[in-house]
Every structure is written in structure tokens, then in C-alpha cells.
Amino acid sequence: MVKVIIVGGGRVGIRLIGLLKKRWDYDVTLIEDNKEVLQIIEKKYDDITIIKGDATNKAVLEKAGIKEADIIVAATSIDEVNLLIGITAQNYNLKKIIARTENPTHIKMFKKIGLNEVVSPELTTCADIQQLIINSNVFKINSAGKEDYELMSLVAKSNKVVGKAIGEISPSENFIIMLCYKNDEPLIAQNNIVIEKEDKITILVRTKAAKKVKKYFTKSGLLG
């Protein structure tokens, strides 16, 4: 029995559940944080395991059985969430990590940090994603290229970012904002969140541009 964790019960996630439930040899667990979405899925599929929670939280992933799982599919509609899940999932002995991106231009970056199976609904159908899951030639994620990117936490001080909505500055060629802390509460980066002075920011940054990006957020200067 192949154990699959699907994160996100939206259009892509629910379609994947339907495709996989046609096969007898797949044990599906869904992680979803929206109560209304969960109620809809529970009515439609009473034979899958459902976990309510935030899948960027390691404890939630472990509650869903990631230690015993074979495959995880990060299928939410938020790239930053899927990227965080993918990074966390690399700490477990999974055969395959599949991450969805809404923006096809992010595919190269996702792959650079070791997420070799990256799909975009604009370019890939759910049936294609299903084939990635059921392909008998599953392989362990290759972490080659991870050194090209790193996670960085810093405090926003520069007038180049303070007062700006995240969507105005991220993603850029050199970084993507992942989290923004407001009153010590971590918020998944959303385009409409406004960065305030002294907000703590977690970003995924191209290693060779790390010093430049740090200066951009904490001092003066523009990114080229």
C-alpha cells in the first residue's frame, strides 16, 4: 500500500483524491486548514484520513503520518506554503515530494532547492500529477543545487520595503518572501500584507545575492 499525503483540499487536491481513490493500492491522507472545505470533502470521501491543521507546522505533518508516508503532494494555491512544505518534507524519508506552483516562473527555483517534481496547473493536468504519483520509477528527492538558495530571517528597516505590500516586491529575481511576523505571529506571505518597520521577515534568497538582499531589507540600496 502506497501512503500519500495531499496538502490542500482545493480544486487540484480534491481532483487528485478522486483519481487516486479509483486505485485500490493507495492510502490517502489529506491535510486542510479550512473547516468548510473539510466538511465538503468528508461528505464526499469517507474512506480517507483527514487532518485539520497548517501543514507548514512539522507537528501537523507528523500527525498526518509523514514519517511513514511514501509521497507528499503540496497542492495548495499558495506558492510560499508549498515551498515551505517541500523544504520541511526533505527532512523525512519520502520517495517523492511533489510541489504545486501557481506561477510557472517559480518552477526553476523550486527545483534548485531540491524539489525535482514541480507542477503548475497552467502547464500540467491533474491526470499528469497522478502519473507522477503512480509512476513505478519513484525516486528519492535529490538535494543537488540546495546550496544555491538559503533561508534568511531579518528585520525590516529599510524604507525600500517598509510600507510596501509584499506583492509589490516579492517574488524578485533573487528572493521570495515566505513569512512575515506580526506581533510575533508568523503569517504566510500574502500579496496584500504590508511590511511595517521592525517586522521579522523570512525569505528564500539566492545565496550569491544574500548580502545584497540583506542590505535591501535592513539598510538603504536597491536590488539590481
Side-chain angles (χ1 to χ4, degrees):
M1 185 71 70
V2 179
K3 295 183 179 297
V4 181
I5 297 174
I6 296 174
V7 182
R11 176 176 55 86
V12 174
I14 199 167
R15 176 65 175 150
L16 281 176
I17 292 171
L19 290 171
L20 291 175
K21 291 312 297 177
K22 293 179 181 178
R23 300 176 58 92
W24 63 270
D25 52 345
Y26 281 80
D27 179 15
V28 178
T29 296
L30 172 73
I31 303 176
E32 172 58 56
D33 201 26
N34 185 298
K35 184 177 180 180
E36 293 179 358
V37 172
L38 284 176
Q39 289 175 341
I40 293 171
I41 294 174
E42 285 174 341
K43 290 179 181 179
K44 188 169 185 179
Y45 299 105
D46 59 2
D47 55 349
I48 68 170
T49 302
I50 296 177
I51 302 294
K52 184 181 185 304
D54 177 1
T56 62
N57 185 323
K58 183 178 177 181
V60 173
L61 289 173
E62 293 190 355
K63 183 178 180 181
I66 194 170
K67 290 182 178 180
E68 297 80 34
D70 298 292
I71 299 167
I72 188 168
V73 184
T76 80
S77 60
I78 304 173
D79 284 9
E80 291 81 2
V81 170
N82 295 336
L83 189 56
L84 281 171
I85 293 167
I87 291 170
T88 303
Q90 289 182 83
N91 295 314
Y92 298 90
N93 191 32
L94 293 155
K95 294 178 180 177
K96 187 170 288 191
I97 301 170
I98 301 172
R100 170 190 178 185
T101 172
E102 283 290 297
N103 188 341
T105 63
H106 289 172
I107 291 176
K108 185 176 180 180
M109 180 177 68
F110 274 42
K111 289 186 175 182
K112 276 286 188 178
I113 64 167
L115 305 181
N116 286 347
E117 299 292 1
V118 185
V119 295
S120 170
E122 290 189 20
L123 305 175
T124 309
T125 67
C126 286
D128 292 328
I129 301 174
Q130 180 199 24
Q131 288 304 310
L132 287 177
I133 295 173
I134 67 175
N135 189 335
S136 60
N137 295 317
V138 292
F139 55 89
K140 191 172 173 22
I141 288 298
N142 183 353
S143 62
K146 286 177 65 177
E147 68 277 4
D148 290 338
Y149 289 86
E150 61 188 67
L151 285 172
M152 177 186 293
S153 293
L154 41 79
V155 176
K157 296 181 179 180
S158 169
N159 59 8
K160 303 299 180 186
V161 300
V162 172
K164 297 286 184 67
I166 287 176
E168 293 182 64
I169 60 174
S170 175
S172 77
E173 179 182 354
N174 289 320
F175 70 85
I176 180 170
I177 297 175
M178 309 293 294
L179 297 170
C180 179
Y181 288 77
K182 298 284 188 181
N183 299 318
D184 293 324
E185 180 182 355
L187 304 175
I188 297 295
Q190 302 279 354
N191 286 341
N192 61 349
I193 293 177
V194 176
I195 298 173
E196 299 174 279
K197 192 170 184 179
E198 301 299 325
D199 280 351
K200 182 181 175 183
I201 307 292
T202 299
I203 60 177
L204 181 71
V205 58
R206 192 185 299 272
T207 299
K208 67 181 182 181
K211 289 183 179 179
K212 192 175 183 181
V213 171
K214 183 177 180 180
K215 182 178 179 181
Y216 177 70
F217 277 87
T218 61
K219 297 180 181 180
S220 59
L222 288 169
L223 286 178

